[in-house]
Amino acid sequence: MDIKQLKYLIALDQTRHFGKAASQCNVTQPTLSMRIRNLEEELGLVLIVRGQRFEGFTPEGERILAWARSLLAAHDGLQAEAALCKGQVVGELRLGMVPLASVDPMIFIRLLTQKYPELTYSLYSMSSAQIADGVSRNQLELGICYLNSIDTSLFDIIQLPKTKMGLLHDTRHFQLRQERLTWRDLMDFPLGFLTKGMHYRAHMEASFNAAGIEPTSVFESDSTFQIIQAVQSGVCCAVMPLNNGLEDLNSNFRIVPITDANIEAPVGLIMRRQKPVSSLALRCFTDAQEIFHADNEA
């Protein structure tokens, strides 16, 4: 067994296609298939459901896949650790973040790029539980999540501002004279929402119910990007967090604060507490303490 076999397995999970996985790994499809079969023979397990094309992983394959992700994350962390021991800040900073919060991660990432020009970044949109699991397993260096959804004793934490909300709209389609809105004011606008079952949508529904009103929902998506597209096209307005950079995406975007529109669940930047903690995570966490402390004082 070697690292390449694990990479092939993970690439197959990501692409769900033998040819695309081989292309992603820069090998031929026969080579990728042969190396995965070798892994199956070594483990004495069937990992892949095979037909005329890739049909998924067996239950045993799903369990092995979880271990492969952990081992590959540890391998990448080891390489980054070795580079840091030589004074080189290189590698990949993997950051998980809940979809909507009053935090603009690009401010943090931009400042890190200025300080560590050889570092690369991966930002994943995840639930708080997924983020906590990823950080615990060293599959993520850091995470931004709701703290009431995780076991905070397992992490070092930087408290971030509460999520406050406003009505995002495109001024080419909607003209708002108010400097501040109430929940009842939102009855006058067509609204776009994340799909039911998502944390942010559940909070929206609770807020409207508390105000005794039923909003006019004209658009739903599980993608924040698609909701922003709908706002830009004039299909709807959307209740979105303040201070997360949305207004900067379009010169016609404006977000008007909503009175008493806060998500009470605290938000924090988390880092694994149990050793081993990667030096890359620790260094970026220390930088984040300075960055967010400065923001809170501003």
Side-chain angles (χ1 to χ4, degrees):
M1 184 188 305
D2 59 39
I3 288 296
K4 285 186 178 179
Q5 287 171 305
L6 303 183
K7 288 183 177 180
Y8 298 160
L9 203 65
I10 292 170
L12 188 56
D13 178 51
Q14 291 171 339
T15 62
R16 317 301 288 184
H17 189 279
F18 282 105
K20 292 178 181 178
S23 178
Q24 181 174 303
C25 296
N26 297 313
V27 296
T28 64
Q29 183 173 331
T31 296
L32 181 135
S33 297
M34 179 189 69
R35 295 303 307 279
I36 291 178
R37 284 193 182 276
N38 290 345
L39 179 62
E40 289 178 314
E41 291 172 4
E42 182 176 346
L43 296 174
L45 296 170
V46 176
L47 305 179
I48 308 298
V49 180
R50 294 176 174 87
Q52 291 184 335
R53 61 188 67 184
F54 175 76
E55 296 182 4
F57 289 89
T58 64
E60 297 80 7
E62 292 287 355
R63 295 173 66 176
I64 296 302
L65 185 62
W67 279 101
R69 292 192 192 99
S70 296
L71 289 169
L72 193 58
H75 174 264
D76 293 343
L78 186 151
Q79 289 187 317
E81 194 77 19
L84 282 164
C85 288
K86 295 183 287 187
Q88 303 169 341
V89 183
V90 298
E92 177 187 13
L93 179 70
R94 298 162 297 185
L95 176 67
M97 183 174 175
V98 289
L100 293 170
S102 288
V103 179
D104 184 353
M106 294 308 154
I107 294 175
F108 177 44
I109 291 174
R110 185 181 69 244
L111 292 172
L112 291 180
T113 61
Q114 295 169 356
K115 191 170 184 179
Y116 310 120
E118 296 185 14
L119 202 58
T120 62
Y121 305 86
S122 291
L123 179 62
Y124 303 97
S125 180
M126 310 169 77
S127 70
S128 294
Q130 289 171 328
I131 291 168
D133 183 65
V135 173
S136 295
R137 294 173 180 270
N138 272 330
Q139 294 175 347
L140 299 171
E141 276 69 45
L142 303 173
I144 296 173
C145 64
Y146 293 108
L147 301 179
N148 65 333
S149 302
I150 67 171
D151 182 353
T152 55
S153 67
L154 301 176
F155 307 99
D156 288 328
I157 296 170
I158 300 172
Q159 193 88 25
L160 301 177
K162 279 186 178 180
T163 299
K164 300 180 179 181
M165 291 168 287
L167 186 68
L168 180 70
H169 62 284
D170 190 304
T171 56
R172 293 171 297 182
H173 308 292
F174 297 93
Q175 298 295 326
L176 278 71
R177 300 183 184 279
Q178 305 98 311
E179 293 299 320
R180 185 167 288 273
L181 298 167
T182 66
W183 285 108
R184 189 162 293 278
D185 291 332
L186 271 56
M187 292 286 290
D188 298 330
F189 302 96
L191 298 177
F193 290 100
L194 288 173
T195 50
K196 290 182 181 293
M198 301 184 77
H199 184 281
Y200 193 83
R201 172 65 180 271
H203 179 81
M204 293 296 97
E205 291 179 340
S207 298
F208 281 113
N209 289 336
I213 57 178
E214 186 173 340
T216 304
S217 175
V218 301
F219 183 83
E220 289 190 5
S221 175
D222 62 357
S223 165
T224 303
F225 174 72
Q226 289 178 342
I227 293 175
I228 292 170
Q229 282 185 309
V231 171
Q232 181 173 289
S233 67
V235 169
C236 61
C237 304
V239 179
M240 289 288 182
L242 304 178
N243 306 316
N244 71 348
L246 287 176
E247 285 181 288
D248 297 332
L249 298 177
N250 182 329
S251 61
N252 297 301
F253 277 176
R254 181 178 174 230
I255 188 165
V256 179
I258 303 169
T259 301
D260 297 327
N262 305 324
I263 294 181
E264 294 302 322
V267 177
L269 179 74
I270 65 171
M271 178 182 70
R272 171 187 164 106
R273 179 173 290 172
Q274 182 180 2
K275 294 181 179 179
V277 177
S278 80
S279 296
L280 177 59
L282 185 58
R283 183 172 296 210
C284 293
F285 188 82
T286 301
D287 291 330
Q289 287 177 311
E290 298 177 5
I291 292 167
F292 289 115
H293 179 70
D295 284 347
N296 290 336
E297 288 191 338

